[in-house]
Amino acid sequence: MLQQILEILKYVLPAVVVLVTAYVIIQKFLVTEIQRKQLAIFQENASASLQMRMQAYERLAIFVERMHPNSMISRFYTKDATAQDLQLAMVQSIRAEFEHNLSQQIYVSSEVWKTINAVKEQEITMINRIGSSIAMGAPAAEFVKSISDFVLSDEQELPTSIALEMINKEAKFLLFEGK
């Protein structure tokens, strides 16, 4: 009887060892393969996320550039318009473009978004303040001259320049540091 058990063990034991070894090797391979696929998915998502964030910085930079008084004057000034027409067109444009870019806030830091929002408000306030100092029905050229004088005489850096610098700095950090 013991002889038969030893004879059976002689065939079964190597088979069990081979089975356990195969199981361990296959398990290790599968775990490694799953980790490799997860890493590939993570890298693909990180690349797509970086691309979306960079596009958000680009769109916000364009928005800030378009908010600059010189840019707005060149887009909206017409000889036959009144100062109030130009003022209204500029304020409406800033608000419309801001609303168009609202979704970009989820891709940028809260500091950048707060700066964008503050610049928008400062530009609208500046336009309205200058507009209120001009007589009703005055030609748009008078409004343009007042805005140009303000921009040239203001010793502080324009809010749009500050915002662009902040956007640029954060975008470069994201691009080169990869956070």
Side-chain angles (χ1 to χ4, degrees), residues 1-178:
M1 175 83 170
L2 185 60
Q3 189 65 16
Q4 288 177 333
I5 292 175
L6 287 175
E7 195 62 31
I8 292 174
L9 280 176
K10 186 167 95 177
Y11 293 108
V12 172
L13 196 56
V16 168
V17 169
V18 168
L19 181 65
V20 168
T21 304
Y23 174 79
V24 169
I25 290 172
I26 290 173
Q27 182 68 19
K28 188 164 183 89
F29 171 76
L30 289 177
V31 166
T32 304
E33 189 64 21
I34 289 171
Q35 288 173 339
R36 189 184 63 74
K37 285 183 180 181
Q38 286 175 336
L39 180 62
I41 290 170
F42 174 77
Q43 288 173 335
E44 187 177 307
N45 287 343
S47 176
S49 174
L50 176 64
Q51 183 177 2
M52 288 172 32
R53 290 183 74 188
M54 293 307 294
Q55 286 174 348
Y57 288 115
E58 290 171 6
R59 283 184 61 178
L60 290 176
I62 291 168
F63 169 59
V64 170
E65 283 287 349
R66 290 175 59 85
M67 247 193 316
H68 190 281
N70 293 338
S71 173
M72 303 232 348
I73 289 169
S74 67
R75 285 196 331 261
F76 297 110
Y77 175 75
T78 57
K79 283 192 285 184
D80 54 341
T82 67
Q84 288 73 31
D85 293 339
L86 183 54
Q87 175 187 355
L88 182 63
M90 291 169 79
V91 170
Q92 285 177 337
S93 172
I94 290 172
R95 287 190 173 131
E97 287 194 46
F98 180 77
E99 288 176 14
H100 179 73
N101 287 299
L102 273 174
S103 63
Q104 303 312 307
Q105 68 184 300
I106 63 175
Y107 300 109
V108 299
S109 72
S110 61
E111 292 82 24
V112 166
W113 186 251
K114 286 176 187 173
T115 301
I116 297 294
N117 203 8
V119 168
K120 172 196 69 122
E121 292 301 324
Q122 289 172 344
E123 291 297 311
I124 289 173
T125 300
M126 185 251 327
I127 290 167
N128 286 334
R129 188 172 2 121
I130 292 171
S132 68
S133 70
I134 297 176
M136 288 296 279
E142 193 174 318
F143 183 65
V144 168
K145 182 179 179 334
S146 294
I147 286 182
S148 298
D149 290 345
F150 176 81
V151 168
L152 291 175
S153 70
D154 194 12
E155 291 146 16
Q156 297 179 14
E157 195 173 10
L158 285 175
T160 52
S161 299
I162 295 168
L164 280 173
E165 187 178 315
M166 186 174 205
I167 290 168
N168 209 353
K169 185 185 294 184
E170 191 168 300
K172 283 179 182 175
F173 178 77
L174 178 69
L175 193 58
F176 297 118
E177 301 295 323

